[in-house]
Amino acid sequence: MAYLDAASTEPLHPAAREALLAALDVGWADPARLYGSARRARLLLDQARAEIAEVLGARPDEVSFTSSGTQAVHLGVLGALAGRKRAGRHLVVSAVEHSSVLHTAGVHERDGGTVEAVGVDVTGRVSPAGFAAAVARPGTAVACLQTANHEVGTLQPVAEAAESCAAAGVPLFVDAAQSAGRLPIPPGWSILAASAHKWGGPAGVGVLAIRKGVRWRSPYPEDERENRRVPGFENVAAVVAAAAALRARAAESAAESARLSDLIERIRREVPRRVPDVEVIGDPVERLPHLVTFSCLYVEGEALLTELDKAGFAVSSGSSCTASTLRPSHVLEAMGVLTHGNVRVSLPRGVSADDVERFLTVLPDIVRRVRQSLGVQ
Amino acid sequence: MWRRRPAPRESEREPVSPAPPVTALTIDAMGRKCPIPIIMLADQIGSVGLGATVAVLADDPAAFTDIPAWCRLKSHEHVASYELPQGGWSIHVRRNY
């Protein structure tokens, strides 16, 4: 089986596995207590915090660990809104944010707040001018922008958005889940969220970083853990493993990201040459190094996924027939691109060029067969 | 799922409420899931004259996005999408070649 769905979750990095097993033995005690084993757990936790903070460009005391990237998003956005209640109740998001951001916006709207979703162009990028105009609206409490889109790979103009947010005095929440560990974090964020299993750490570790001086109030009942920002007992061993994976990724990323990016470039070029009536989606240059999405006309996404699975390829799709909601992906809708016959290929670290080549070889015939079954010549 | 509001830049893609104008051909794809409405459109657009308009009746939300996207890819013109009282849309496409 060739695993080409790293954007859903990256396989556990060997360095993370090793660190996890070691930390389970020595880091199990309560890091909030004062005896030897507890101090050992505290030391491991804070060392991991310092390492992750360094790679993400934050100070260690700005970083808290959550139980997932989604929880980091929920806490980050709701806490920022709560901290800015007196400034206003207007929330600005891009139309292509991860569903965890949009669902949080939905909660805010049901609570009487207002939400503006800034549209994107056909590549999936939000226009810096459009975002700036939305943020400048009086009463804007918080703005949210992802570093890169999780479905199409397009990078967002976070640095420019941060400048317009700073000019308007609005904190910027940045969802870095898809790019952390693969690309440097752009400057200017006020609150940052990331997820360890996306960079090869274990599941169950999210990162919430809040810049010093940013107003933020927890939407949860008070809890002493994680600088009073995240409730519940820390998962020390998993955090240690997350840090080991991120450190290893950061060391490898220059060479590996360039290699993956070349493979993606090859897929972007070859798929439309080999398969008729295909639209390759997203920005061809300003993109994540490991991810490409394309849509095949006259093909059902689900049938395509099933056939690719039979041929030994694990990929994902934003087509409606593959979603539990039976709605097409909100990202593809907002871009105005084809939503059916959609395939997302995202390459894990260490993927072999042979697997990519084999994918390019089997794809044309699979698409032809699925089209034939629908009566398309 | 929280839905985005109509974005101003996409105004031409948003459904309009007045009664749709008469077209040369109506394709009834109600109850059909994508890509079937698009396959029907691709099959039948050649049966109207150049510059004539085809209406596709569809209620799969994917069709609302995918028919305009198909027009862009195939260089036909998406004229407008009209919301239907019974649900779904009448999506009008002009044959360009």
Side-chain angles (χ1 to χ4, degrees):
Chain A
M1 168 64 74
Y3 182 75
L4 306 181
D5 194 20
S8 290
T9 190
E10 173 80 18
L12 194 66
H13 195 288
R17 189 188 163 80
E18 200 180 316
L20 181 66
L21 293 174
L24 282 171
D25 286 336
V26 294
W28 53 270
D30 184 347
R33 302 291 169 253
L34 296 175
Y35 36 82
S37 52
R39 281 202 301 270
R40 212 152 41 234
R42 167 58 58 190
L43 202 67
L44 283 171
L45 182 63
D46 286 343
Q47 207 172 339
R49 193 188 312 278
E51 288 169 3
I52 288 177
E54 194 191 335
V55 177
L56 299 182
R59 288 170 32 152
D61 62 353
E62 293 173 336
V63 171
S64 303
F65 297 109
T66 63
S67 62
S68 67
T70 296
Q71 192 193 31
V73 167
H74 293 168
L75 277 170
V77 178
L78 290 176
L81 285 167
R84 291 266 298 166
K85 220 166 186 170
R86 277 190 294 177
R89 302 221 58 204
H90 187 59
L91 174 66
V92 172
V93 300
S94 89
V96 296
E97 293 300 302
H98 186 264
S99 58
S100 58
V101 174
L102 297 185
H103 286 309
T104 307
V107 167
H108 177 63
E109 214 166 31
R110 283 195 293 280
D111 282 351
T114 54
V115 177
E116 179 176 355
V118 181
V120 295
D121 63 17
V122 78
T123 71
R125 177 174 291 106
V126 73
S127 102
F131 200 81
V135 166
R137 183 180 145 177
T140 301
V142 180
C144 304
L145 188 60
Q146 60 195 187
T147 51
N149 186 265
H150 50 294
E151 286 187 36
V152 301
T154 299
L155 301 184
Q156 300 294 354
V158 170
E160 288 105 308
E163 277 172 31
S164 42
C165 282
V170 171
L172 177 65
F173 170 87
V174 171
D175 171 12
Q178 282 303 337
S179 72
R182 304 176 191 277
L183 295 172
I185 304 290
W189 52 269
S190 311
I191 299 180
L192 187 83
S195 176
H197 76 97
K198 303 278 192 200
W199 69 60
V205 180
V207 177
L208 172 66
I210 303 172
R211 276 277 184 245
K212 208 168 169 57
V214 170
R215 294 182 69 89
W216 183 90
R217 204 166 68 228
S218 175
Y220 283 157
E222 195 172 294
D223 193 278
E224 73 203 17
R225 301 279 165 177
E226 289 299 287
N227 208 6
R228 295 177 181 268
R229 286 175 177 159
V230 187
F233 190 85
E234 298 90 340
N235 190 347
V236 175
V239 167
V240 168
L246 188 60
R247 207 172 50 223
R249 283 306 286 260
E252 302 160 355
S253 86
E256 182 63 356
S257 288
R259 189 183 75 92
L260 296 182
S261 187
D262 287 349
L263 291 172
I264 290 295
E265 181 51 39
R266 178 156 173 77
I267 298 174
R268 292 190 72 98
R269 206 175 47 238
E270 284 300 314
V271 166
R273 278 182 48 189
R274 300 183 187 198
V275 184
D277 288 324
V278 163
E279 179 177 34
V280 181
I281 289 164
D283 195 294
V285 180
E286 294 293 306
R287 59 166 172 81
L288 286 171
H290 66 298
L291 190 155
V292 59
T293 294
F294 54 88
S295 290
C296 309
L297 264 177
Y298 319 128
V299 169
E300 218 186 335
E302 189 179 10
L304 207 48
L305 254 52
T306 309
E307 290 303 313
L308 282 167
D309 180 41
K310 278 191 213 158
F313 294 96
V315 296
S316 87
S317 168
S319 294
S320 51
C321 49
T322 65
S324 50
T325 53
L326 290 179
R327 298 232 20 153
S329 132
H330 69 275
V331 173
L332 302 179
E333 269 186 346
M335 292 167 69
V337 297
L338 279 187
T339 70
H340 73 262
N342 181 259
V343 173
R344 179 185 71 181
V345 175
S346 50
L347 306 178
R349 162 190 172 276
V351 71
S352 79
D354 285 352
D355 280 345
V356 171
E357 221 42 59
R358 210 160 51 79
F359 176 81
L360 289 171
T361 306
V362 304
L363 182 70
D365 193 51
I366 287 178
V367 173
R368 188 162 51 240
R369 275 189 284 128
V370 175
R371 281 180 179 158
Q372 236 161 33
S373 71
L374 291 171
V376 178
Q377 294 314 308
Chain B
M1 181 70 210
W2 183 84
R3 310 305 305 172
R4 94 199 140 90
R5 284 141 193 257
R9 65 147 202 107
E10 292 184 288
S11 51
E12 100 279 359
R13 287 181 54 229
E14 299 303 329
V16 281
S17 19
V22 177
T23 55
L25 173 71
T26 296
I27 298 172
D28 185 358
M30 285 295 201
R32 310 299 299 272
K33 296 282 171 213
C34 262
I36 303 297
I38 293 197
I39 294 176
M40 294 166 83
L41 172 61
D43 256 359
Q44 296 176 44
I45 194 160
S47 66
V48 301
L50 286 183
T53 305
V54 178
V56 183
L57 310 182
D59 53 7
D60 180 5
F64 182 72
T65 304
D66 284 16
I67 291 177
W70 178 85
C71 291
R72 182 170 48 76
L73 291 175
K74 291 288 173 186
S75 307
H76 289 296
E77 185 189 343
H78 170 236
V79 184
S81 297
Y82 303 88
E83 219 161 302
L84 297 173
Q86 69 271 33
W89 303 272
S90 177
I91 306 166
H92 289 205
V93 174
R94 183 170 291 123
R95 181 183 170 192
N96 273 348
Y97 57 90

